[in-house]
Amino acid sequence: MEQEKQEVYKEFKEYIIPPSWKDRVWDIEDFKKFHEETVKDKESVEKWWVKWAEQLPWFRKWSRVLDDSNPPFYRWFVGGEINLAYLCTDWQIEKGRKNKLAIIWEGEPVNEAGEPKEVRKFTYYDLYRISNRIASALRDRLGVRKGEIVTLYLPMIPELPFYMLALQRIGAKHSIVYSGFSAVALADRVEAAGSRIIVTADGLYRRGRIIRLKEVVDEAIKILEERGHRVEKVIVVKRTDRTDVPFNEARDIWHTDFLAGIPENVRVDAIPLPSDDFSYILYTSGTTGAPKGSQESIGGYAVGLYATMNMIFDVKDDDIYWCTADIGWVTGHSYIVYGPLMTGLTSVMYEGAPDYPGPDRWWSIIERYGVTIFYTTPTAIRMLMKFPDELVKKHDLSTVRIAHSVGEPINPEAFRWLYSNVCRNDAVCSSTWWMTETGHILTGHLPGLGKIYPLKPGTNGYTLPGVKADVIDEDGNSCPPGVRGYFVIKTPWPGMLMTLYKDPQRYVDIYWKRWEGCFWTGDYAVKDQDGYFWILGRADDVIKVAGHRIGTAEVESAMIMHPAVAESACVGKPDEVKGEIPMIFTVLKHGYNASPELEQELKMHLRKTIGPLVASDAIIVFINAVPKTRSGKIMRRLLRAVVAGKPLGDITTLEDETAVKEVAEAYNMIKEAVEKRR
Ligand code: PRX
């Protein structure tokens, strides 16, 4: 523990100021004072956010900034009416950006010279026209109405934002399922959202191969039929050149046929929607098997995005912005689609893998379009920094002026590499913490405010003005600097989730019950002597594999669906590149023997039930019994400690209810199994 502490804490005092910012640096005490003013009381918080809200075009102005009469169901800009699609297209056109590029999309496949085979560019007017046509078809051909939730199971192609905007125009909602999820996971989410329409693609390109998507949808529909849920229509975007796409003529329709005959200039008014209506649901992993439908607002969400695009990304009209996430996760919703479009940016959108056809693909993209703002993940940086720096240097990255990371803690080495290679030791670089449930960024550096506070490798910095957070102990007391505790948010913020879809009680229980009046994030953190936050990782049973959020309970319930598995316990194993990978301790039923073949079969089973994102990295370790406390709880902390290679001495006190001897036995049993696996 001591050593761990020193490792983490030595960066507390490493201050970095990008030279071009040297005249625009906050004195830390001054920044803290400025920040405190914005969170002093409810009035100051409201005042801060109103400043941003006033910059947006409301159909009707709010009557109340923050309705906190029914906590924790806070509602922002109540009485106001607004529409996300209007902000992202109509408003941009009004502002003179009709012919400005909104999206530059690059497909993965390359020609012999290594250049992208397909680049598609869309202006704001293109986006407007296409989303109007889709909105018209959805409304008039399929009867999609305000409030209906349509599931989008699409890869990183422009049609995904097109459909998102089309749905927002007519007040319908989306539930996007990441294209790396399997048929079972898709079926669960379609059923929970009650969708009768799915939009998908025939496939996608990944590392030079075609990944089939339509088949996954068909399988999901079969599962749904068995459960009595009927999917009426599947709209299929043609992305690949495959000719063997299974097609059910009665139910499936190609995207181009769906739009056939709809006039190019059709107009569907973006309808005014109440600020506290919801814009989408996004299923995310939690600590029980059932995924949670994070329900996002409209008005508050828009304000939070607009503000963070300005504060964190310091957007200017001539920027070229690139967020490398996938739209299937929240980062893509907020910072590929709604945030950049409502601030009128030109964004790059890339379909494929960072290392295809070579590990400098990303650097070539930055060079090709002159990217100025780069938003990426620590996992990608750790993967790409393993290759010779010459691969970066051979590309001109001199345009980059801001590079932030997100999704998981960035280790100081990865930060330094990003800062020196991509930022050439002179750009604002920080780790922006937030989560699906927060809707938008809540920590990070704020170049858009005109001055920055000093950078430090690995920190998350301060929360935004208007947002008060803390690191607290079990009893809710503030932890002193340097002491690890639980990361909580103490003031409502505009993009906060409204509730969990159809499960308000679960929303209260998970996030608001543990400490009175605090939103519990699920993360461990530490504060340093300057008040900077350092998010250290999840304190619950959620693991982050390459920044993707996975509930261990979801993995465990998938495992026991296999006939050979009696019990299983999944924990995250620290991994140099991916942050964590799932290690699944598995007890077999009588009559089954551990073997490499069975392990393979179980991985295939995981691929089918959850999807490749878990299956490809999972390590399955066969054991005789899952170690449990006397009251029957899995000794997760013990499992975590063993896989992290910690000695027994550190963990005998962890499982209070159980005798030291039993813990030691369990420890040895697990350690042996893990070592055998190596
Ligand atoms: O553990 C934190 C980690 O990602 C979790 C949220 O995951 P998700 O809802 O998938 O959203 C990810 C993208 C917004 C958090 O509870 N996390 C996210 N960003 C950071 C982070 N951990 C440390 N530093 C970050 N910048």
Side-chain angles (χ1 to χ4, degrees), residues 284 329-331 375 378 405-410 430-438 443 458-460 521-523 534-538 542 544 547-549:
T284 184
W329 303 97
V330 75
T331 308
Y375 195 28
S405 73
V406 62
E408 50 182 323
I410 185 160
S430 85
S431 171
T432 63
W433 176 94
W434 59 295
M435 52 199 297
T436 306
E437 293 86 337
T438 71
T443 81
T459 186
N460 297 91
T521 64
D523 281 328
W534 300 68
I535 313 295
L536 304 173
R538 300 289 306 187
V542 166
K544 280 276 174 148
H548 298 329
R549 177 166 165 180

Short mmCIF file of all heavy atoms in Angstrom, two decimals, residues 284 329-331 375 378 405-410 430-438 443 458-460 521-523 534-538 542 544 547-549, ligand 1:
data_model
loop_
_atom_site.label_atom_id
_atom_site.label_comp_id
_atom_site.label_asym_id
_atom_site.label_seq_id
_atom_site.Cartn_x
_atom_site.Cartn_y
_atom_site.Cartn_z
N THR A 284 -26.22 0.65 -19.83
CA THR A 284 -24.85 0.58 -19.36
C THR A 284 -24.75 -0.47 -18.26
O THR A 284 -25.75 -0.84 -17.66
CB THR A 284 -24.38 1.97 -18.90
OG1 THR A 284 -23.01 1.87 -18.53
CG2 THR A 284 -25.16 2.48 -17.71
N TRP A 329 -21.06 4.10 -27.46
CA TRP A 329 -20.88 4.41 -26.05
C TRP A 329 -21.20 5.88 -25.83
O TRP A 329 -21.30 6.65 -26.79
CB TRP A 329 -19.43 4.13 -25.61
CG TRP A 329 -19.01 2.73 -25.88
CD1 TRP A 329 -18.31 2.30 -26.96
CD2 TRP A 329 -19.26 1.57 -25.07
NE1 TRP A 329 -18.10 0.94 -26.86
CE2 TRP A 329 -18.67 0.47 -25.71
CE3 TRP A 329 -19.93 1.35 -23.85
CZ2 TRP A 329 -18.73 -0.83 -25.19
CZ3 TRP A 329 -19.97 0.07 -23.33
CH2 TRP A 329 -19.38 -1.00 -24.00
N VAL A 330 -21.29 6.28 -24.59
CA VAL A 330 -21.75 7.64 -24.32
C VAL A 330 -20.82 8.71 -24.89
O VAL A 330 -21.27 9.77 -25.35
CB VAL A 330 -21.99 7.87 -22.81
CG1 VAL A 330 -20.68 8.02 -22.05
CG2 VAL A 330 -22.89 9.07 -22.58
N THR A 331 -19.52 8.44 -24.91
CA THR A 331 -18.59 9.45 -25.42
C THR A 331 -18.95 9.83 -26.85
O THR A 331 -18.90 11.00 -27.24
CB THR A 331 -17.14 8.93 -25.37
OG1 THR A 331 -16.88 8.48 -24.04
CG2 THR A 331 -16.15 10.02 -25.72
N TYR A 375 -9.57 13.89 -29.18
CA TYR A 375 -10.17 13.35 -27.94
C TYR A 375 -10.08 11.84 -28.02
O TYR A 375 -10.67 11.22 -28.92
CB TYR A 375 -11.63 13.82 -27.85
CG TYR A 375 -12.27 13.65 -26.49
CD1 TYR A 375 -11.53 13.68 -25.31
CD2 TYR A 375 -13.66 13.52 -26.38
CE1 TYR A 375 -12.16 13.57 -24.07
CE2 TYR A 375 -14.28 13.41 -25.14
CZ TYR A 375 -13.52 13.43 -23.99
OH TYR A 375 -14.13 13.32 -22.76
N PRO A 378 -6.97 6.36 -23.07
CA PRO A 378 -5.67 5.89 -22.60
C PRO A 378 -5.27 4.54 -23.20
O PRO A 378 -4.11 4.33 -23.54
CB PRO A 378 -5.88 5.78 -21.08
CG PRO A 378 -6.94 6.78 -20.77
CD PRO A 378 -7.86 6.73 -21.95
N SER A 405 -8.06 12.99 -22.88
CA SER A 405 -8.39 11.56 -22.87
C SER A 405 -9.58 11.31 -21.97
O SER A 405 -9.97 12.17 -21.17
CB SER A 405 -7.19 10.73 -22.42
OG SER A 405 -6.99 10.90 -21.03
N VAL A 406 -10.16 10.15 -22.11
CA VAL A 406 -11.39 9.81 -21.38
C VAL A 406 -11.58 8.30 -21.28
O VAL A 406 -11.03 7.56 -22.09
CB VAL A 406 -12.63 10.41 -22.10
CG1 VAL A 406 -12.81 9.84 -23.49
CG2 VAL A 406 -13.92 10.17 -21.30
N GLY A 407 -12.35 7.88 -20.31
CA GLY A 407 -12.80 6.49 -20.26
C GLY A 407 -12.20 5.68 -19.14
O GLY A 407 -12.78 4.71 -18.67
N GLU A 408 -11.02 6.04 -18.70
CA GLU A 408 -10.32 5.31 -17.65
C GLU A 408 -9.16 6.20 -17.20
O GLU A 408 -8.82 7.16 -17.90
CB GLU A 408 -9.79 3.98 -18.19
CG GLU A 408 -9.04 4.23 -19.46
CD GLU A 408 -8.48 2.99 -20.15
OE1 GLU A 408 -8.04 2.06 -19.46
OE2 GLU A 408 -8.46 3.00 -21.38
N PRO A 409 -8.56 5.87 -16.07
CA PRO A 409 -7.45 6.72 -15.64
C PRO A 409 -6.30 6.64 -16.66
O PRO A 409 -6.07 5.59 -17.25
CB PRO A 409 -7.01 6.07 -14.32
CG PRO A 409 -8.20 5.28 -13.86
CD PRO A 409 -8.89 4.83 -15.10
N ILE A 410 -5.66 7.76 -16.88
CA ILE A 410 -4.49 7.73 -17.77
C ILE A 410 -3.26 7.68 -16.87
O ILE A 410 -3.11 8.50 -15.95
CB ILE A 410 -4.46 8.93 -18.76
CG1 ILE A 410 -3.30 8.78 -19.74
CG2 ILE A 410 -4.41 10.29 -18.07
CD1 ILE A 410 -3.44 9.59 -21.03
N SER A 430 -5.36 16.74 -21.08
CA SER A 430 -5.85 16.37 -19.75
C SER A 430 -6.77 15.18 -19.82
O SER A 430 -7.14 14.72 -20.90
CB SER A 430 -6.57 17.56 -19.09
OG SER A 430 -7.92 17.64 -19.50
N SER A 431 -7.11 14.67 -18.65
CA SER A 431 -7.97 13.50 -18.56
C SER A 431 -9.34 13.96 -18.06
O SER A 431 -9.47 14.41 -16.93
CB SER A 431 -7.34 12.51 -17.60
OG SER A 431 -8.22 11.46 -17.31
N THR A 432 -10.32 13.88 -18.94
CA THR A 432 -11.65 14.38 -18.61
C THR A 432 -12.48 13.27 -18.02
O THR A 432 -12.83 12.32 -18.71
CB THR A 432 -12.34 14.91 -19.88
OG1 THR A 432 -12.51 13.81 -20.77
CG2 THR A 432 -11.54 16.00 -20.55
N TRP A 433 -12.79 13.37 -16.74
CA TRP A 433 -13.61 12.32 -16.11
C TRP A 433 -15.09 12.62 -16.30
O TRP A 433 -15.54 13.75 -16.13
CB TRP A 433 -13.30 12.24 -14.61
CG TRP A 433 -14.20 11.25 -13.92
CD1 TRP A 433 -13.93 9.94 -13.68
CD2 TRP A 433 -15.53 11.48 -13.42
NE1 TRP A 433 -15.00 9.33 -13.07
CE2 TRP A 433 -16.00 10.25 -12.90
CE3 TRP A 433 -16.36 12.59 -13.37
CZ2 TRP A 433 -17.26 10.10 -12.32
CZ3 TRP A 433 -17.64 12.45 -12.81
CH2 TRP A 433 -18.06 11.21 -12.28
N TRP A 434 -15.82 11.59 -16.61
CA TRP A 434 -17.29 11.65 -16.58
C TRP A 434 -17.79 10.24 -16.78
O TRP A 434 -17.00 9.29 -16.85
CB TRP A 434 -17.85 12.62 -17.62
CG TRP A 434 -17.52 12.38 -19.07
CD1 TRP A 434 -16.27 12.43 -19.65
CD2 TRP A 434 -18.43 12.08 -20.12
NE1 TRP A 434 -16.36 12.19 -21.00
CE2 TRP A 434 -17.68 11.97 -21.31
CE3 TRP A 434 -19.81 11.91 -20.19
CZ2 TRP A 434 -18.26 11.67 -22.56
CZ3 TRP A 434 -20.38 11.62 -21.43
CH2 TRP A 434 -19.60 11.51 -22.59
N MET A 435 -19.07 10.05 -16.87
CA MET A 435 -19.62 8.72 -17.08
C MET A 435 -20.97 8.81 -17.79
O MET A 435 -21.52 9.91 -17.93
CB MET A 435 -19.73 7.97 -15.75
CG MET A 435 -20.46 8.70 -14.65
SD MET A 435 -20.10 8.05 -12.97
CE MET A 435 -20.73 6.39 -13.08
N THR A 436 -21.45 7.65 -18.25
CA THR A 436 -22.73 7.63 -18.95
C THR A 436 -23.76 8.44 -18.17
O THR A 436 -24.52 9.23 -18.73
CB THR A 436 -23.22 6.18 -19.11
OG1 THR A 436 -22.17 5.43 -19.73
CG2 THR A 436 -24.47 6.09 -19.95
N GLU A 437 -23.75 8.23 -16.87
CA GLU A 437 -24.77 8.85 -16.02
C GLU A 437 -24.60 10.36 -15.89
O GLU A 437 -25.53 11.04 -15.46
CB GLU A 437 -24.72 8.23 -14.62
CG GLU A 437 -25.14 6.77 -14.57
CD GLU A 437 -24.00 5.80 -14.86
OE1 GLU A 437 -23.01 6.20 -15.50
OE2 GLU A 437 -24.10 4.63 -14.45
N THR A 438 -23.44 10.89 -16.18
CA THR A 438 -23.27 12.35 -16.03
C THR A 438 -23.59 13.09 -17.34
O THR A 438 -23.72 14.30 -17.33
CB THR A 438 -21.86 12.74 -15.55
OG1 THR A 438 -20.93 12.50 -16.60
CG2 THR A 438 -21.46 11.99 -14.29
N THR A 443 -14.85 16.83 -15.24
CA THR A 443 -13.53 17.32 -14.80
C THR A 443 -12.62 17.52 -16.00
O THR A 443 -12.86 16.95 -17.06
CB THR A 443 -12.77 16.34 -13.86
OG1 THR A 443 -12.14 15.33 -14.67
CG2 THR A 443 -13.67 15.68 -12.83
N GLY A 458 -1.49 12.57 -15.45
CA GLY A 458 -2.34 11.56 -14.82
C GLY A 458 -3.50 12.11 -14.03
O GLY A 458 -4.40 11.37 -13.64
N THR A 459 -3.53 13.40 -13.80
CA THR A 459 -4.61 13.94 -12.97
C THR A 459 -5.88 14.18 -13.79
O THR A 459 -5.84 14.25 -15.01
CB THR A 459 -4.20 15.28 -12.33
OG1 THR A 459 -5.22 15.69 -11.43
CG2 THR A 459 -4.03 16.37 -13.39
N ASN A 460 -7.00 14.31 -13.08
CA ASN A 460 -8.24 14.73 -13.72
C ASN A 460 -8.51 16.21 -13.48
O ASN A 460 -9.49 16.75 -13.96
CB ASN A 460 -9.42 13.91 -13.21
CG ASN A 460 -9.27 12.45 -13.56
OD1 ASN A 460 -8.69 11.68 -12.79
ND2 ASN A 460 -9.71 12.09 -14.73
N THR A 521 -20.55 8.00 -7.55
CA THR A 521 -20.08 7.70 -8.91
C THR A 521 -19.66 6.25 -9.11
O THR A 521 -19.63 5.76 -10.23
CB THR A 521 -18.85 8.56 -9.25
OG1 THR A 521 -17.78 8.17 -8.36
CG2 THR A 521 -19.12 10.04 -9.09
N GLY A 522 -19.27 5.60 -8.00
CA GLY A 522 -18.75 4.24 -8.13
C GLY A 522 -17.23 4.22 -8.25
O GLY A 522 -16.63 3.16 -8.37
N ASP A 523 -16.60 5.39 -8.22
CA ASP A 523 -15.15 5.46 -8.40
C ASP A 523 -14.40 5.76 -7.10
O ASP A 523 -14.88 6.49 -6.24
CB ASP A 523 -14.79 6.56 -9.40
CG ASP A 523 -15.01 6.13 -10.84
OD1 ASP A 523 -14.83 4.94 -11.13
OD2 ASP A 523 -15.35 6.99 -11.67
N TRP A 534 -7.81 12.96 -8.60
CA TRP A 534 -7.16 11.86 -9.33
C TRP A 534 -8.10 10.66 -9.22
O TRP A 534 -8.22 10.08 -8.14
CB TRP A 534 -5.80 11.51 -8.71
CG TRP A 534 -4.83 12.66 -8.73
CD1 TRP A 534 -4.92 13.82 -8.02
CD2 TRP A 534 -3.63 12.75 -9.51
NE1 TRP A 534 -3.85 14.63 -8.30
CE2 TRP A 534 -3.04 14.00 -9.21
CE3 TRP A 534 -2.99 11.90 -10.42
CZ2 TRP A 534 -1.85 14.42 -9.80
CZ3 TRP A 534 -1.80 12.31 -10.99
CH2 TRP A 534 -1.24 13.56 -10.69
N ILE A 535 -8.79 10.34 -10.28
CA ILE A 535 -9.71 9.21 -10.23
C ILE A 535 -8.88 7.94 -10.40
O ILE A 535 -8.09 7.84 -11.34
CB ILE A 535 -10.78 9.29 -11.35
CG1 ILE A 535 -11.40 10.68 -11.43
CG2 ILE A 535 -11.82 8.19 -11.19
CD1 ILE A 535 -12.22 11.13 -10.25
N LEU A 536 -9.07 7.00 -9.46
CA LEU A 536 -8.18 5.84 -9.46
C LEU A 536 -8.80 4.59 -10.08
O LEU A 536 -8.10 3.62 -10.33
CB LEU A 536 -7.76 5.53 -8.01
CG LEU A 536 -7.10 6.71 -7.28
CD1 LEU A 536 -6.88 6.37 -5.82
CD2 LEU A 536 -5.79 7.09 -7.94
N GLY A 537 -10.10 4.58 -10.31
CA GLY A 537 -10.74 3.39 -10.89
C GLY A 537 -11.98 3.02 -10.11
O GLY A 537 -12.32 3.66 -9.11
N ARG A 538 -12.66 1.99 -10.57
CA ARG A 538 -13.95 1.64 -9.99
C ARG A 538 -13.80 1.00 -8.62
O ARG A 538 -12.90 0.20 -8.38
CB ARG A 538 -14.69 0.66 -10.91
CG ARG A 538 -14.98 1.19 -12.29
CD ARG A 538 -16.03 2.25 -12.34
NE ARG A 538 -17.27 1.86 -11.72
CZ ARG A 538 -18.38 2.60 -11.78
NH1 ARG A 538 -18.37 3.76 -12.42
NH2 ARG A 538 -19.47 2.20 -11.19
N VAL A 542 -17.71 -3.16 -11.38
CA VAL A 542 -17.69 -2.82 -12.80
C VAL A 542 -16.22 -2.84 -13.20
O VAL A 542 -15.37 -2.38 -12.45
CB VAL A 542 -18.29 -1.41 -13.03
CG1 VAL A 542 -17.99 -0.90 -14.41
CG2 VAL A 542 -19.79 -1.44 -12.78
N LYS A 544 -13.29 -2.03 -16.37
CA LYS A 544 -13.10 -1.23 -17.57
C LYS A 544 -12.09 -1.93 -18.46
O LYS A 544 -10.90 -1.94 -18.19
CB LYS A 544 -12.57 0.14 -17.15
CG LYS A 544 -13.67 1.05 -16.64
CD LYS A 544 -14.28 1.66 -17.82
CE LYS A 544 -15.45 2.50 -17.76
NZ LYS A 544 -15.41 3.53 -18.80
N GLY A 547 -11.31 0.67 -21.61
CA GLY A 547 -12.22 1.82 -21.43
C GLY A 547 -13.69 1.44 -21.58
O GLY A 547 -14.56 2.24 -21.27
N HIS A 548 -13.98 0.22 -22.05
CA HIS A 548 -15.38 -0.20 -22.18
C HIS A 548 -15.86 -0.70 -20.83
O HIS A 548 -15.18 -1.46 -20.15
CB HIS A 548 -15.53 -1.32 -23.21
CG HIS A 548 -15.13 -0.92 -24.59
ND1 HIS A 548 -15.27 0.37 -25.05
CD2 HIS A 548 -14.58 -1.61 -25.60
CE1 HIS A 548 -14.84 0.43 -26.30
NE2 HIS A 548 -14.40 -0.76 -26.65
N ARG A 549 -17.08 -0.32 -20.54
CA ARG A 549 -17.60 -0.62 -19.20
C ARG A 549 -18.32 -1.96 -19.18
O ARG A 549 -19.26 -2.18 -19.94
CB ARG A 549 -18.54 0.53 -18.85
CG ARG A 549 -19.23 0.40 -17.55
CD ARG A 549 -19.81 1.76 -17.25
NE ARG A 549 -20.79 1.72 -16.22
CZ ARG A 549 -21.44 2.79 -15.77
NH1 ARG A 549 -21.21 3.97 -16.32
NH2 ARG A 549 -22.31 2.68 -14.82
O1 PRX B 1 -14.40 4.70 -13.74
C1 PRX B 1 -14.65 5.91 -14.40
C2 PRX B 1 -14.13 5.78 -15.82
O2 PRX B 1 -15.23 5.36 -16.60
C3 PRX B 1 -16.40 5.21 -15.80
C4 PRX B 1 -17.62 5.55 -16.60
O3 PRX B 1 -17.74 4.69 -17.69
P1 PRX B 1 -18.76 4.97 -18.87
O4 PRX B 1 -20.10 5.20 -18.29
O5 PRX B 1 -18.60 3.88 -19.85
O6 PRX B 1 -18.29 6.33 -19.49
C5 PRX B 1 -17.01 6.40 -20.04
C6 PRX B 1 -16.82 7.66 -20.84
C7 PRX B 1 -17.34 8.89 -20.28
C8 PRX B 1 -16.14 6.09 -14.62
O7 PRX B 1 -16.92 5.72 -13.51
N1 PRX B 1 -13.62 7.03 -16.35
C9 PRX B 1 -14.16 7.78 -17.33
N2 PRX B 1 -13.35 8.81 -17.63
C10 PRX B 1 -12.29 8.74 -16.81
C11 PRX B 1 -12.45 7.61 -15.99
N3 PRX B 1 -11.55 7.28 -15.04
C12 PRX B 1 -10.48 8.07 -14.90
N4 PRX B 1 -10.24 9.14 -15.67
C13 PRX B 1 -11.10 9.52 -16.63
N5 PRX B 1 -10.85 10.57 -17.40
#
